[in-house]
Amino acid sequence: MRGKMKKKVVTFGELMLRLAPEGYYRFVQAERFGATFGGGEANVAVALSNFGFDAVFVTRLPSHEIGQAAVNSLRKYGVDTSKIIRGGERVGIYYLEKGASQRPSKVIYDRTGSAIATADRTEFNWKEIFEGVEWFHFTGITPALNDEVAAICLDACKAAKEAGVKISCDLNYRKKLWTREKAGKVMGELCQYADLCIANEEDAADVFGICADKTDVTAGEVNREGYKEVARRLAERFGFSEVAITLRESVSANDNFWSAMLYNGKDFFFSKKYSMHIVDRVGGGDSFGAGLIAAMLNGFEQSRAIEFAVAASCLKHSIEGDYNLVSVEEVLALADGDDSGRVQR
């Protein structure tokens, strides 16, 4: 399995310092914060590296020690950091307060003026970056930072398309970063270049106003059939080869049902549904995207691909931190029905 997975994938985005109170302490209670690193596209790169791919992460980070610590967090898991631009003054930060029971998790951003947010289009040689690459992945978080970063994303998409690289985009709408109107305009242009669109149960409505019938995500009610029309409309509007939508049904902050759907322009494939008790849900969508990319590059049939992606993401919800630190073998075992959580010895 691993021997087949040496294809090169590039991801582009912001790698941030994550500061979180220990356990379930609230921000106002905390006397100490654990420090790790994470970010949408970086999380995908780490997961793909763990699956045996040649994963390249592109960003811009300061040359000081905190920037180097961020780079080292990727190198630890085998991610190629040779295309990272060094410059700028600061690493973006996000603070995470874990929710519990009916209290939701909270994220506070402190990323204004970060190294990637002050990047210039001329710093990235995308033609060189995409040499020998088969796949490029980005999310809606990165172009939300500012117009220049959005332009860098567009440059990357155009260069990837010219190089014959397959492109995936996770819509990943973040209301704390931009408005629905701005997201719709910018992502509408970027999505013209994407082959695979990844979204959660809310993204299509938030970014493009495409809503699923009989769904109330706040109440944890997801109508799986309604997302067929969402996927169909997305594919028709942008010409996506595939559309994948994760379906999270929230019972509480700790307990969710988790499944997904894949549409290929003709047929719909629904995964099995997992009942998850959550350790850390940040990076859950990224782990799904990485699992789907890995499965598609490895030639899985689409019904198998969606099962692999959902199983990979289900396992991520059991792992502290942004990164999904699981193996292909662990994902396949879960996808094949080994979901008891019994001790392996």
Side-chain angles (χ1 to χ4, degrees), residues 101-136:
S101 191
Q102 278 65 49
R103 175 173 59 84
S105 297
K106 289 188 176 182
V107 169
I108 296 174
Y109 290 122
D110 179 16
R111 60 201 302 182
T112 302
S114 65
I116 189 67
T118 56
D120 186 273
R121 295 168 67 182
T122 61
E123 295 182 273
F124 298 90
N125 186 340
W126 291 110
K127 184 176 181 179
E128 177 186 302
I129 288 169
F130 286 130
E131 289 180 2
V133 171
E134 297 202 32
W135 199 293
F136 172 57

mmCIF file of all heavy atoms in Angstrom, residues 101-136:
data_model
loop_
_atom_site.group_PDB
_atom_site.id
_atom_site.type_symbol
_atom_site.label_atom_id
_atom_site.label_comp_id
_atom_site.label_asym_id
_atom_site.label_seq_id
_atom_site.Cartn_x
_atom_site.Cartn_y
_atom_site.Cartn_z
ATOM 1 N N SER A 101 -19.846 19.082 26.348
ATOM 2 C CA SER A 101 -21.291 18.938 26.497
ATOM 3 C C SER A 101 -22.002 19.961 25.597
ATOM 4 O O SER A 101 -21.771 19.997 24.395
ATOM 5 C CB SER A 101 -21.686 19.078 27.966
ATOM 6 O OG SER A 101 -23.034 18.694 28.160
ATOM 7 N N GLN A 102 -22.832 20.827 26.179
ATOM 8 C CA GLN A 102 -23.548 21.808 25.347
ATOM 9 C C GLN A 102 -22.791 23.123 25.174
ATOM 10 O O GLN A 102 -23.293 24.040 24.529
ATOM 11 C CB GLN A 102 -24.932 22.078 25.943
ATOM 12 C CG GLN A 102 -25.977 21.033 25.554
ATOM 13 C CD GLN A 102 -25.677 19.660 26.107
ATOM 14 O OE1 GLN A 102 -25.385 19.505 27.297
ATOM 15 N NE2 GLN A 102 -25.730 18.655 25.264
ATOM 16 N N ARG A 103 -21.593 23.234 25.729
ATOM 17 C CA ARG A 103 -20.779 24.449 25.545
ATOM 18 C C ARG A 103 -19.873 24.262 24.339
ATOM 19 O O ARG A 103 -19.033 23.375 24.322
ATOM 20 C CB ARG A 103 -19.942 24.722 26.797
ATOM 21 C CG ARG A 103 -18.973 25.898 26.639
ATOM 22 C CD ARG A 103 -18.302 26.239 27.965
ATOM 23 N NE ARG A 103 -17.553 25.128 28.520
ATOM 24 C CZ ARG A 103 -16.302 24.814 28.183
ATOM 25 N NH1 ARG A 103 -15.667 25.510 27.245
ATOM 26 N NH2 ARG A 103 -15.693 23.793 28.754
ATOM 27 N N PRO A 104 -20.009 25.099 23.304
ATOM 28 C CA PRO A 104 -19.212 24.921 22.085
ATOM 29 C C PRO A 104 -17.758 25.354 22.260
ATOM 30 O O PRO A 104 -17.426 26.149 23.140
ATOM 31 C CB PRO A 104 -19.920 25.821 21.073
ATOM 32 C CG PRO A 104 -20.541 26.893 21.905
ATOM 33 C CD PRO A 104 -20.961 26.213 23.192
ATOM 34 N N SER A 105 -16.908 24.813 21.402
ATOM 35 C CA SER A 105 -15.523 25.267 21.354
ATOM 36 C C SER A 105 -15.475 26.689 20.812
ATOM 37 O O SER A 105 -16.378 27.136 20.097
ATOM 38 C CB SER A 105 -14.687 24.347 20.460
ATOM 39 O OG SER A 105 -14.637 23.044 20.979
ATOM 40 N N LYS A 106 -14.407 27.407 21.165
ATOM 41 C CA LYS A 106 -14.229 28.779 20.681
ATOM 42 C C LYS A 106 -12.822 28.963 20.115
ATOM 43 O O LYS A 106 -11.858 28.432 20.661
ATOM 44 C CB LYS A 106 -14.455 29.793 21.809
ATOM 45 C CG LYS A 106 -15.904 29.930 22.253
ATOM 46 C CD LYS A 106 -16.068 31.090 23.222
ATOM 47 C CE LYS A 106 -17.547 31.288 23.584
ATOM 48 N NZ LYS A 106 -17.728 32.444 24.483
ATOM 49 N N VAL A 107 -12.750 29.747 19.038
ATOM 50 C CA VAL A 107 -11.466 30.092 18.438
ATOM 51 C C VAL A 107 -11.345 31.612 18.377
ATOM 52 O O VAL A 107 -12.281 32.302 17.961
ATOM 53 C CB VAL A 107 -11.330 29.504 17.024
ATOM 54 C CG1 VAL A 107 -10.125 30.094 16.305
ATOM 55 C CG2 VAL A 107 -11.217 27.983 17.072
ATOM 56 N N ILE A 108 -10.203 32.125 18.818
ATOM 57 C CA ILE A 108 -9.883 33.549 18.709
ATOM 58 C C ILE A 108 -8.629 33.672 17.852
ATOM 59 O O ILE A 108 -7.596 33.056 18.149
ATOM 60 C CB ILE A 108 -9.652 34.188 20.089
ATOM 61 C CG1 ILE A 108 -10.934 34.144 20.927
ATOM 62 C CG2 ILE A 108 -9.167 35.638 19.939
ATOM 63 C CD1 ILE A 108 -10.764 34.632 22.351
ATOM 64 N N TYR A 109 -8.721 34.455 16.770
ATOM 65 C CA TYR A 109 -7.581 34.634 15.875
ATOM 66 C C TYR A 109 -6.742 35.844 16.281
ATOM 67 O O TYR A 109 -7.263 36.878 16.672
ATOM 68 C CB TYR A 109 -8.062 34.853 14.437
ATOM 69 C CG TYR A 109 -8.668 33.639 13.776
ATOM 70 C CD1 TYR A 109 -9.970 33.669 13.283
ATOM 71 C CD2 TYR A 109 -7.930 32.463 13.629
ATOM 72 C CE1 TYR A 109 -10.528 32.560 12.658
ATOM 73 C CE2 TYR A 109 -8.480 31.352 13.015
ATOM 74 C CZ TYR A 109 -9.780 31.405 12.538
ATOM 75 O OH TYR A 109 -10.333 30.310 11.920
ATOM 76 N N ASP A 110 -5.438 35.680 16.149
ATOM 77 C CA ASP A 110 -4.485 36.780 16.296
ATOM 78 C C ASP A 110 -3.478 36.618 15.166
ATOM 79 O O ASP A 110 -2.352 36.195 15.364
ATOM 80 C CB ASP A 110 -3.805 36.718 17.669
ATOM 81 C CG ASP A 110 -2.770 37.826 17.866
ATOM 82 O OD1 ASP A 110 -2.793 38.795 17.084
ATOM 83 O OD2 ASP A 110 -1.933 37.694 18.781
ATOM 84 N N ARG A 111 -3.930 36.930 13.952
ATOM 85 C CA ARG A 111 -3.099 36.637 12.775
ATOM 86 C C ARG A 111 -2.901 37.856 11.873
ATOM 87 O O ARG A 111 -2.255 37.730 10.820
ATOM 88 C CB ARG A 111 -3.717 35.484 11.993
ATOM 89 C CG ARG A 111 -5.121 35.758 11.503
ATOM 90 C CD ARG A 111 -5.909 34.492 11.190
ATOM 91 N NE ARG A 111 -5.311 33.618 10.207
ATOM 92 C CZ ARG A 111 -5.886 32.486 9.795
ATOM 93 N NH1 ARG A 111 -7.053 32.108 10.299
ATOM 94 N NH2 ARG A 111 -5.288 31.721 8.896
ATOM 95 N N THR A 112 -3.413 39.020 12.275
ATOM 96 C CA THR A 112 -3.238 40.221 11.461
ATOM 97 C C THR A 112 -1.753 40.550 11.338
ATOM 98 O O THR A 112 -1.026 40.575 12.331
ATOM 99 C CB THR A 112 -3.979 41.411 12.089
ATOM 100 O OG1 THR A 112 -5.362 41.087 12.226
ATOM 101 C CG2 THR A 112 -3.828 42.656 11.223
ATOM 102 N N GLY A 113 -1.298 40.785 10.126
ATOM 103 C CA GLY A 113 0.101 41.134 9.903
ATOM 104 C C GLY A 113 1.052 39.960 9.971
ATOM 105 O O GLY A 113 2.269 40.151 10.085
ATOM 106 N N SER A 114 0.521 38.741 9.866
ATOM 107 C CA SER A 114 1.392 37.564 9.898
ATOM 108 C C SER A 114 2.232 37.492 8.628
ATOM 109 O O SER A 114 1.989 38.212 7.648
ATOM 110 C CB SER A 114 0.559 36.292 10.039
ATOM 111 O OG SER A 114 -0.249 36.101 8.892
ATOM 112 N N ALA A 115 3.208 36.612 8.630
ATOM 113 C CA ALA A 115 4.150 36.528 7.510
ATOM 114 C C ALA A 115 3.448 36.266 6.185
ATOM 115 O O ALA A 115 3.744 36.899 5.168
ATOM 116 C CB ALA A 115 5.185 35.442 7.786
ATOM 117 N N ILE A 116 2.498 35.343 6.162
ATOM 118 C CA ILE A 116 1.808 35.044 4.905
ATOM 119 C C ILE A 116 0.878 36.187 4.512
ATOM 120 O O ILE A 116 0.691 36.482 3.331
ATOM 121 C CB ILE A 116 1.045 33.704 4.997
ATOM 122 C CG1 ILE A 116 0.506 33.289 3.625
ATOM 123 C CG2 ILE A 116 -0.079 33.781 6.013
ATOM 124 C CD1 ILE A 116 1.565 32.948 2.623
ATOM 125 N N ALA A 117 0.310 36.874 5.500
ATOM 126 C CA ALA A 117 -0.608 37.983 5.198
ATOM 127 C C ALA A 117 0.122 39.189 4.620
ATOM 128 O O ALA A 117 -0.499 40.056 4.008
ATOM 129 C CB ALA A 117 -1.380 38.385 6.453
ATOM 130 N N THR A 118 1.435 39.257 4.806
ATOM 131 C CA THR A 118 2.230 40.360 4.251
ATOM 132 C C THR A 118 3.071 39.892 3.070
ATOM 133 O O THR A 118 4.010 40.571 2.657
ATOM 134 C CB THR A 118 3.141 40.961 5.337
ATOM 135 O OG1 THR A 118 3.965 39.935 5.906
ATOM 136 C CG2 THR A 118 2.319 41.616 6.442
ATOM 137 N N ALA A 119 2.733 38.731 2.511
ATOM 138 C CA ALA A 119 3.481 38.192 1.372
ATOM 139 C C ALA A 119 3.171 38.974 0.101
ATOM 140 O O ALA A 119 2.141 39.639 -0.020
ATOM 141 C CB ALA A 119 3.133 36.721 1.168
ATOM 142 N N ASP A 120 4.084 38.862 -0.861
ATOM 143 C CA ASP A 120 3.933 39.494 -2.168
ATOM 144 C C ASP A 120 3.883 38.408 -3.242
ATOM 145 O O ASP A 120 4.580 37.393 -3.143
ATOM 146 C CB ASP A 120 5.114 40.428 -2.440
ATOM 147 C CG ASP A 120 4.941 41.220 -3.716
ATOM 148 O OD1 ASP A 120 5.326 40.703 -4.789
ATOM 149 O OD2 ASP A 120 4.405 42.337 -3.665
ATOM 150 N N ARG A 121 3.076 38.629 -4.268
ATOM 151 C CA ARG A 121 2.908 37.627 -5.324
ATOM 152 C C ARG A 121 4.233 37.233 -5.966
ATOM 153 O O ARG A 121 4.408 36.085 -6.400
ATOM 154 C CB ARG A 121 1.959 38.150 -6.402
ATOM 155 C CG ARG A 121 0.550 38.363 -5.926
ATOM 156 C CD ARG A 121 -0.277 39.146 -6.935
ATOM 157 N NE ARG A 121 -0.510 38.410 -8.171
ATOM 158 C CZ ARG A 121 -1.175 38.899 -9.209
ATOM 159 N NH1 ARG A 121 -1.654 40.135 -9.162
ATOM 160 N NH2 ARG A 121 -1.349 38.168 -10.290
ATOM 161 N N THR A 122 5.157 38.164 -6.040
ATOM 162 C CA THR A 122 6.418 37.901 -6.743
ATOM 163 C C THR A 122 7.324 36.929 -5.989
ATOM 164 O O THR A 122 8.311 36.449 -6.544
ATOM 165 C CB THR A 122 7.181 39.209 -6.972
ATOM 166 O OG1 THR A 122 7.484 39.820 -5.700
ATOM 167 C CG2 THR A 122 6.351 40.192 -7.795
ATOM 168 N N GLU A 123 7.007 36.630 -4.735
ATOM 169 C CA GLU A 123 7.862 35.743 -3.934
ATOM 170 C C GLU A 123 7.682 34.266 -4.271
ATOM 171 O O GLU A 123 8.493 33.439 -3.875
ATOM 172 C CB GLU A 123 7.579 35.963 -2.448
ATOM 173 C CG GLU A 123 7.945 37.339 -1.933
ATOM 174 C CD GLU A 123 7.694 37.484 -0.443
ATOM 175 O OE1 GLU A 123 6.554 37.826 -0.068
ATOM 176 O OE2 GLU A 123 8.627 37.237 0.349
ATOM 177 N N PHE A 124 6.608 33.915 -4.990
ATOM 178 C CA PHE A 124 6.294 32.506 -5.225
ATOM 179 C C PHE A 124 6.482 32.158 -6.704
ATOM 180 O O PHE A 124 5.803 32.708 -7.571
ATOM 181 C CB PHE A 124 4.855 32.204 -4.796
ATOM 182 C CG PHE A 124 4.614 32.433 -3.327
ATOM 183 C CD1 PHE A 124 4.203 33.684 -2.867
ATOM 184 C CD2 PHE A 124 4.805 31.415 -2.406
ATOM 185 C CE1 PHE A 124 3.982 33.907 -1.522
ATOM 186 C CE2 PHE A 124 4.594 31.631 -1.055
ATOM 187 C CZ PHE A 124 4.186 32.876 -0.608
ATOM 188 N N ASN A 125 7.393 31.242 -6.972
ATOM 189 C CA ASN A 125 7.639 30.763 -8.333
ATOM 190 C C ASN A 125 6.832 29.483 -8.543
ATOM 191 O O ASN A 125 7.321 28.369 -8.340
ATOM 192 C CB ASN A 125 9.132 30.501 -8.542
ATOM 193 C CG ASN A 125 9.466 30.132 -9.977
ATOM 194 O OD1 ASN A 125 8.600 29.723 -10.741
ATOM 195 N ND2 ASN A 125 10.727 30.269 -10.342
ATOM 196 N N TRP A 126 5.561 29.653 -8.912
ATOM 197 C CA TRP A 126 4.673 28.503 -8.984
ATOM 198 C C TRP A 126 5.055 27.529 -10.089
ATOM 199 O O TRP A 126 4.846 26.311 -9.954
ATOM 200 C CB TRP A 126 3.225 28.971 -9.166
ATOM 201 C CG TRP A 126 2.702 29.648 -7.940
ATOM 202 C CD1 TRP A 126 2.421 30.974 -7.783
ATOM 203 C CD2 TRP A 126 2.414 29.030 -6.674
ATOM 204 N NE1 TRP A 126 1.973 31.220 -6.509
ATOM 205 C CE2 TRP A 126 1.957 30.047 -5.812
ATOM 206 C CE3 TRP A 126 2.499 27.728 -6.189
ATOM 207 C CZ2 TRP A 126 1.589 29.803 -4.487
ATOM 208 C CZ3 TRP A 126 2.135 27.467 -4.883
ATOM 209 C CH2 TRP A 126 1.691 28.494 -4.040
ATOM 210 N N LYS A 127 5.608 28.014 -11.171
ATOM 211 C CA LYS A 127 6.025 27.104 -12.241
ATOM 212 C C LYS A 127 7.059 26.119 -11.720
ATOM 213 O O LYS A 127 6.991 24.909 -11.990
ATOM 214 C CB LYS A 127 6.603 27.908 -13.413
ATOM 215 C CG LYS A 127 6.979 27.043 -14.609
ATOM 216 C CD LYS A 127 7.446 27.893 -15.775
ATOM 217 C CE LYS A 127 7.806 27.005 -16.972
ATOM 218 N NZ LYS A 127 8.261 27.824 -18.152
ATOM 219 N N GLU A 128 7.989 26.614 -10.940
ATOM 220 C CA GLU A 128 9.009 25.743 -10.348
ATOM 221 C C GLU A 128 8.405 24.840 -9.271
ATOM 222 O O GLU A 128 8.718 23.653 -9.188
ATOM 223 C CB GLU A 128 10.123 26.601 -9.739
ATOM 224 C CG GLU A 128 11.206 25.797 -9.026
ATOM 225 C CD GLU A 128 12.206 26.712 -8.329
ATOM 226 O OE1 GLU A 128 12.809 27.549 -9.024
ATOM 227 O OE2 GLU A 128 12.358 26.580 -7.091
ATOM 228 N N ILE A 129 7.526 25.404 -8.458
ATOM 229 C CA ILE A 129 6.919 24.636 -7.368
ATOM 230 C C ILE A 129 6.139 23.440 -7.897
ATOM 231 O O ILE A 129 6.151 22.356 -7.294
ATOM 232 C CB ILE A 129 5.996 25.548 -6.531
ATOM 233 C CG1 ILE A 129 6.841 26.532 -5.704
ATOM 234 C CG2 ILE A 129 5.104 24.722 -5.592
ATOM 235 C CD1 ILE A 129 6.036 27.639 -5.054
ATOM 236 N N PHE A 130 5.484 23.583 -9.052
ATOM 237 C CA PHE A 130 4.626 22.517 -9.566
ATOM 238 C C PHE A 130 5.336 21.510 -10.465
ATOM 239 O O PHE A 130 4.693 20.633 -11.051
ATOM 240 C CB PHE A 130 3.427 23.119 -10.304
ATOM 241 C CG PHE A 130 2.400 23.726 -9.374
ATOM 242 C CD1 PHE A 130 1.927 25.013 -9.592
ATOM 243 C CD2 PHE A 130 1.914 23.018 -8.289
ATOM 244 C CE1 PHE A 130 0.984 25.579 -8.736
ATOM 245 C CE2 PHE A 130 0.983 23.580 -7.423
ATOM 246 C CZ PHE A 130 0.515 24.853 -7.648
ATOM 247 N N GLU A 131 6.647 21.599 -10.566
ATOM 248 C CA GLU A 131 7.383 20.617 -11.360
ATOM 249 C C GLU A 131 7.276 19.236 -10.713
ATOM 250 O O GLU A 131 7.603 19.053 -9.543
ATOM 251 C CB GLU A 131 8.856 21.023 -11.486
ATOM 252 C CG GLU A 131 9.083 22.230 -12.393
ATOM 253 C CD GLU A 131 10.550 22.618 -12.493
ATOM 254 O OE1 GLU A 131 11.388 21.913 -11.884
ATOM 255 O OE2 GLU A 131 10.852 23.621 -13.166
ATOM 256 N N GLY A 132 6.791 18.261 -11.479
ATOM 257 C CA GLY A 132 6.680 16.891 -10.980
ATOM 258 C C GLY A 132 5.546 16.654 -10.003
ATOM 259 O O GLY A 132 5.477 15.618 -9.348
ATOM 260 N N VAL A 133 4.627 17.616 -9.899
ATOM 261 C CA VAL A 133 3.529 17.540 -8.927
ATOM 262 C C VAL A 133 2.275 16.984 -9.606
ATOM 263 O O VAL A 133 1.996 17.286 -10.767
ATOM 264 C CB VAL A 133 3.249 18.937 -8.329
ATOM 265 C CG1 VAL A 133 1.985 18.946 -7.476
ATOM 266 C CG2 VAL A 133 4.446 19.399 -7.510
ATOM 267 N N GLU A 134 1.502 16.184 -8.862
ATOM 268 C CA GLU A 134 0.264 15.626 -9.402
ATOM 269 C C GLU A 134 -0.989 16.280 -8.828
ATOM 270 O O GLU A 134 -2.059 16.203 -9.439
ATOM 271 C CB GLU A 134 0.218 14.118 -9.144
ATOM 272 C CG GLU A 134 1.330 13.363 -9.850
ATOM 273 C CD GLU A 134 1.022 11.907 -10.046
ATOM 274 O OE1 GLU A 134 -0.161 11.553 -10.217
ATOM 275 O OE2 GLU A 134 1.972 11.108 -10.019
ATOM 276 N N TRP A 135 -0.862 16.910 -7.654
ATOM 277 C CA TRP A 135 -2.070 17.428 -7.008
ATOM 278 C C TRP A 135 -1.729 18.708 -6.252
ATOM 279 O O TRP A 135 -0.670 18.821 -5.631
ATOM 280 C CB TRP A 135 -2.618 16.391 -6.035
ATOM 281 C CG TRP A 135 -4.062 16.595 -5.643
ATOM 282 C CD1 TRP A 135 -4.583 17.623 -4.905
ATOM 283 C CD2 TRP A 135 -5.165 15.741 -5.965
ATOM 284 N NE1 TRP A 135 -5.933 17.466 -4.744
ATOM 285 C CE2 TRP A 135 -6.320 16.321 -5.387
ATOM 286 C CE3 TRP A 135 -5.296 14.551 -6.672
ATOM 287 C CZ2 TRP A 135 -7.587 15.734 -5.506
ATOM 288 C CZ3 TRP A 135 -6.545 13.975 -6.795
ATOM 289 C CH2 TRP A 135 -7.678 14.562 -6.211
ATOM 290 N N PHE A 136 -2.663 19.666 -6.301
ATOM 291 C CA PHE A 136 -2.542 20.913 -5.538
ATOM 292 C C PHE A 136 -3.810 21.107 -4.718
ATOM 293 O O PHE A 136 -4.925 20.965 -5.229
ATOM 294 C CB PHE A 136 -2.342 22.107 -6.477
ATOM 295 C CG PHE A 136 -2.410 23.443 -5.789
ATOM 296 C CD1 PHE A 136 -1.558 23.754 -4.737
ATOM 297 C CD2 PHE A 136 -3.330 24.411 -6.196
ATOM 298 C CE1 PHE A 136 -1.625 24.991 -4.091
ATOM 299 C CE2 PHE A 136 -3.401 25.648 -5.565
ATOM 300 C CZ PHE A 136 -2.542 25.930 -4.510
#
